[in-house]
């Protein structure tokens, strides 16, 4: 930490700050500047963050952290990219760009089976589908719950596709984990720490979505919550942040890909469907994501979007998805990846 | 809902849209414009929201909702302001501006007792203090949990101040409710729908904080989640939204006060401590909140901010809090309120 | 400046950084940390900002500025609040809360005269009205230009109210200054540096609006542009920033008031009309602004908002404005100010 | 326009609104809803925007625009993509992805000549370089002005590369246009309407940067300003918008590419250097931009970023730029484009 003193801070104030730094177990180093003093506090600042409280002291202008507060997720601790193994031949974070596809919600056996066959035929590697749905309105469709999980398992049995589905309550983590291959944490639960701890205690890989107002640093801190409970299988998913722009549902932050690749060894997946909220833009943003270095995509595909229970406007029809997958191969190859 | 057709949409496309509107139980009315047609769909659009899926249809440019999607929280349903009764003589939403004050976290018996006495002496009506803490870092202090709740109960027993404290997990709602007078839902859990439903089933009043990237409409939808489970005692709390500005920790949106007063009958409370993140700005924003029509404040007060486990920089010392309360009376009176 | 080295930076890299710091005229001080080194560069960092370029060097993680980059606007240079004198008895930044009011645009002689009489009768101190209008659409009303300025001068002659009006082009600064008492720089021109320099060379006071995506620091840098050309009569105006929220036209950042009061000696005025975009919210936010310590308000008042050429929805009718002024006195008094 | 009446609006209020709609030259159509009436106003709403003023009327809840307010820039008016011809063999908006590259500022003859040769050798099509610099601080380097323009002309003479450079003041548009092949309007001047009009009267193509808080709709309205003055050679440039995220200097909104491609026929260019503010991320975002359908890139390249007068941290060294251009070809080909 760097403690910036006010211009004209009294000697007594500086002495108090130095004393407090030592009390907290750090070694202070003073730099006398032209208009003010700056104090470096040497010691491991992670895992404590207590120095921030110095901002309350007289004579202190501000406290500037130097270290990133995450450890397990950091490239400083582990340099090689992590490979998260989902099933035989499906590894996220390796050479292959992994595509997860399927409807927003599981609505019926016919719908999920048709979706699963279609995305499999088009080359997707994992089936997505929501059984527990976090909906903004209490009056909207809330998902088929365990019946939905059973249908996902049935679709997996037929197609061989592993399944990713959302979990929204610590109480149902074990239930969902008994059906799913990947547990999804949605954007609205990205700082639901009780839920993060619970999936951290579970053996299954976790697809962690970035919150709508979440910084990259906070995103990695939420990953750290899961990892610090013992689960290293975290897949990060950028799905659009909230900005002033309304032409798209969210603003898909693709620069998060190279930023995350520099800061963490965890794989990065992009959700162009929620990121844009409009099926017209999904293909372009999928190509861009792979070009920027994404390890995978999660895409909404629905056989009949006009009749979907949720998120129809952003779902691709199977035919369009298949055409997109064809073209995606070219971009994956340009990025030295397979699809 | 208003369905805007594309300029040059084919007759067949319009017919399909009209057919689908009728299937969904609405009556379509077409307005032929100079460059495009616009279709009004008449019927109760709340509780369904299914018309949005028309955006996937050929020939449709966009779908524009007309009604607000909340009911129970709306002034259209209930015009008179709601009064939420907390304890004898403490009602939120009435003539009195209600002040909740206390430390961010309960840290020790000495700390919470000293805080409770100090805020009581200064005229606060309710004691705040966190026992379960949602912290961005897994390595930060996570709260004293049930021991913290017991200390809050002890402080209430001595001072007579009712207690507001945060609940972060559906599993511990009953435990927290057995100690607290008001259950607080934090900003990070403002769309944790499992938790909202659970506190909705509980008899205790709920202080619902606005999420960092939450629109006013979504805020009211989260209130609607609680109310639709049977709990009408919802108190809305604006605590700052996330913007590009970094001079304050968040941007306290005081215009939310008159906006909410127009849209809902629920009381509105302001948190100037999290809203600014800096104790220097708390008094000014407290005065402003009351001037703008807030029904109450929730303020962090700590006897020793330099040694606080969390949020030291934004906590007022008891002496400053007392001085602020003195001045706040003048603004409450100017606003035709008591303190 | 603080230069944070990467963990594991090579000695050669550190030596290069030290050498470059000295070349730039600063004195380096190294703090050896537990995981990385941090280098303080001592010297006057303002007026140069060149150290930022060190971020390009090998082994450098980041460069953290310590000083604020503004000088003339800073409380470090001038501690007492600045009083900007507009006319006999009208001073902004003193004990009196100064209210500027009038229509968005000057539309006709009848309209501006009626507006001027009405706001004068209600107790306003300055007349506002736009003659050169920066409109988002080239097809919208662009203002009466010099004819509008003449009408403002006529209104001043009759009512005695000084006039504030916007200038949008360096070429017309002298023309506008020959009619106006205060030159207004609009939000969209807040970083139009050619215009800032030009009004800085002009003797008239300047009302500088904050840009929609402008940080407090950038706001003060734009003030510094004007001041560094010799014009110290700068009045800062917060008028709402752009955020994700759409319930209001902008998000009025009232915390800017105490933040600015801490960082600068310049007076601060609030524009609740543009800040909210809705006349329903103007009174509440005006009261709040004064409670938070604002030195003045600029409010849109129009005798016939339904027929206004611009910004009708956010304009108060004269009767409502007069009622608001009555109540505003109470808040000004509570804030130890006069009105 | 759609006028949404309040639930329970009086008949007299509705009659007043109907009357006013007719006065304004529109034909009203009433839809009687279950809880409220909605009125469609038929007529050309562009170029007037006056219906918005109905929001001030009693009984009106809100006014919802249906048409986009731009015409000349719209795909509704011109469906085929516009090709902006810069020089022999350099056309923006055609099959070729066009790359503009060079330093942020022209600093010296040696620097601009070395830059020009390097970017030419790597395959760039246009040379960029600032002679008039809009800098946040009045104390920062402001550019070499006309001397810089002369150096750009010299670099063009030697390398044959056309030149793009920024114009910041209506007074110097003619001067800059006498040297430059493309006039750049910077983000901070994106709603400087006096400047937009002036470059609209000039024959030279204009590279219009999106403002930091500018919606897509406003961006197209600024293009419309230029086009409505007679200049159809507008090139749109996304360069990052301002959000809460600080890991990058701005948030590069690549979804603007497919959104703009749907709404306008104008070419779209991406600036990954300002968009990210960090040279580490420039290549990834360049690849992504081309994959998403961008017509071109504008990239900062500097022979010696550590000694750059501005924007060193985001500038590529020539060697890295050349490597990026090699790889970019693969992505251009995958996107069915040449480079």
């Amino acid at each position: 930490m760097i403690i910036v003193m006010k211009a004209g801070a009294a000697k007594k104030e500086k002495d108090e700050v130095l004393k407090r730094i030592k009390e907290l177990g750090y070694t202070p180093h003073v730099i006398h500047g032209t208009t003010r003093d700056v104090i470096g506090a040497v010691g491991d600042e992670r895992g404590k963050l207590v120095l921030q409280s110095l901002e309350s002291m007289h004579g202190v202008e501000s406290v500037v952290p130097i270290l990133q507060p995450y450890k397990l997720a950091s490239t400083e601790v582990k340099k090689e990219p992590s490979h998260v193994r989902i099933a035989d031949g499906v590894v996220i974070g390796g050479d292959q760009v992994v595509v997860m596809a399927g409807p927003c919600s599981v609505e019926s056996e016919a719908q999920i089976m048709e979706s699963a066959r279609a995305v499999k035929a088009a080359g997707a590697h994992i089936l997505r589908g929501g059984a527990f749905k976090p909906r903004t309105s209490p009056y909207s469709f809330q998902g088929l719950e365990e019946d939905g999980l059973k249908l996902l398992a049935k679709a997996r049995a037929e197609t061989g596709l592993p399944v990713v589905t959302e979990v929204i309550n610590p109480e149902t983590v074990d239930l969902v984990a008994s059906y799913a291959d990947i547990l999804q944490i949605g954007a609205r639960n990205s700082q639901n720490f009780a839920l993060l701890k619970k999936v951290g205690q579970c053996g299954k890989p976790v697809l962690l979505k970035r919150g709508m107002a979440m910084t990259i640093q906070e995103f990695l801190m939420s990953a750290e919550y899961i990892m610090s409970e013992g689960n290293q299988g975290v897949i990060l998913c950028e799905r659009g942040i909230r900005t002033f722009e309304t032409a798209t549902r969210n603003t898909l932050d693709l620069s998060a890909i190279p930023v995350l690749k520099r800061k963490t060894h965890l794989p990065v997946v992009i959700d162009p469907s929620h990121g844009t909220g409009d099926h017209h833009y999904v293909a372009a943003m999928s190509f861009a994501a792979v070009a920027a270095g994404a390890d995978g995509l999660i895409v909404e595909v629905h056989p009949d979007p006009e009749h979907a229970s949720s998120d129809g406007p952003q779902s691709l029809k199977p035919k369009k998805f298949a055409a997109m997958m064809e073209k995606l191969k070219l971009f994956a190859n340009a990025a030295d990846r397979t699809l």
Side-chain angles (χ1 to χ4, degrees), chain A:
Chain A
M1 290 270 177
I2 299 292
I3 293 91
V4 182
M5 300 302 294
K6 286 185 182 157
K11 181 167 182 312
K12 202 189 133 193
E13 291 169 343
K14 284 180 216 169
D15 288 346
E16 282 295 316
V17 170
L18 294 177
K19 191 181 141 205
R20 183 86 184 112
I21 289 172
K22 287 176 200 159
E23 273 174 31
L24 289 167
Y26 295 82
T27 309
H29 288 259
V30 183
I31 301 175
H32 298 289
T34 48
T35 60
R36 67 185 73 220
D37 287 355
V38 164
I39 305 171
V42 174
D44 182 9
E45 63 188 51
R46 284 189 292 218
K48 302 194 184 174
L49 304 173
V50 289
L51 285 168
Q52 206 69 39
S53 66
L54 296 174
E55 264 188 14
S56 305
M57 296 187 76
H58 290 290
V60 174
E61 175 79 28
S62 62
V63 174
V64 182
I66 296 301
L67 282 195
Q68 302 293 7
Y70 42 88
K71 290 184 229 190
L72 302 173
S74 170
T75 44
E76 291 192 3
V77 167
K78 175 171 184 295
K79 293 214 183 308
E80 331 70 65
S82 288
H83 294 196
V84 180
R85 198 190 157 279
I86 308 303
D88 280 352
V90 183
V91 171
I92 304 179
D95 284 341
Q96 190 176 43
V97 172
V98 172
V99 178
M100 316 180 192
C104 179
S105 304
V106 181
E107 295 166 14
S108 69
E109 180 165 345
Q111 174 248 20
I112 192 66
M113 296 309 288
E114 186 180 346
S115 300
R117 285 171 206 137
V119 303
K120 162 101 177 174
H125 312 94
I126 295 174
L127 177 65
R128 64 149 291 155
F132 292 91
K133 298 298 305 170
R135 303 301 299 276
T136 309
S137 168
Y139 310 122
S140 294
F141 175 61
Q142 307 273 321
L144 296 182
E145 307 195 342
E146 190 169 359
D147 287 345
L149 296 175
K150 286 179 183 164
L151 293 175
L152 285 168
K154 192 161 182 184
R156 173 177 51 200
E158 186 190 306
T159 60
L161 294 176
V163 160
V164 56
T165 196
E166 185 162 353
V167 59
I168 61 176
N169 190 334
E171 290 175 21
T172 51
V173 166
D174 293 334
L175 174 70
V176 177
S178 71
Y179 289 96
D181 300 285
I182 307 176
L183 299 176
Q184 179 179 319
I185 300 290
R188 288 172 185 77
N189 283 315
S190 57
Q191 292 192 314
N192 177 342
F193 302 119
L195 186 60
L196 295 178
K197 285 181 188 172
K198 185 80 184 172
V199 300
Q201 291 151 11
C202 171
K204 288 284 168 74
V206 177
L207 182 84
L208 174 66
K209 290 205 166 184
R210 183 181 181 184
M212 279 190 282
M214 199 176 220
T215 62
I216 295 286
Q217 180 171 308
E218 289 168 342
F219 194 12
L220 291 172
M221 289 309 291
S222 285
E224 190 88 6
Y225 257 98
I226 298 170
M227 299 173 84
S228 67
E229 295 286 336
N231 187 344
Q232 308 306 307
V234 178
I235 304 148
L236 301 169
C237 180
E238 157 65 29
R239 47 74 74 202
I241 56 173
R242 188 159 271 185
T243 70
F244 63 85
E245 179 59 72
T246 56
T248 43
R249 182 172 169 187
N250 294 289
T251 297
L252 189 62
D253 178 13
L254 290 185
S255 60
I257 301 169
V259 172
L260 285 169
K261 289 288 170 192
R262 235 183 131 207
K263 294 184 188 290
T264 184
H265 50 85
L266 298 173
V268 179
V269 159
I270 298 295
D271 178 347
S273 306
H274 286 87
T276 64
D278 188 325
H279 66 93
H280 291 94
Y281 309 139
V282 167
M285 298 316 280
S286 295
F287 303 154
V290 169
D295 297 300
L297 298 172
I298 178 162
V299 180
E300 290 193 359
V301 178
H302 194 289
D304 184 11
E306 293 97 14
H307 292 78
S309 302
S310 54
D311 284 350
Q314 72 196 32
S315 295
L316 290 180
K317 293 182 188 176
K319 206 171 147 185
K320 285 212 171 167
F321 176 66
M324 178 187 109
M325 288 293 282
E326 267 318 299
K327 208 148 193 295
L328 191 62
K329 263 177 218 157
L330 305 176
F331 291 100
N333 293 343
D336 281 326
R337 309 284 284 254
T338 59
L339 182 65

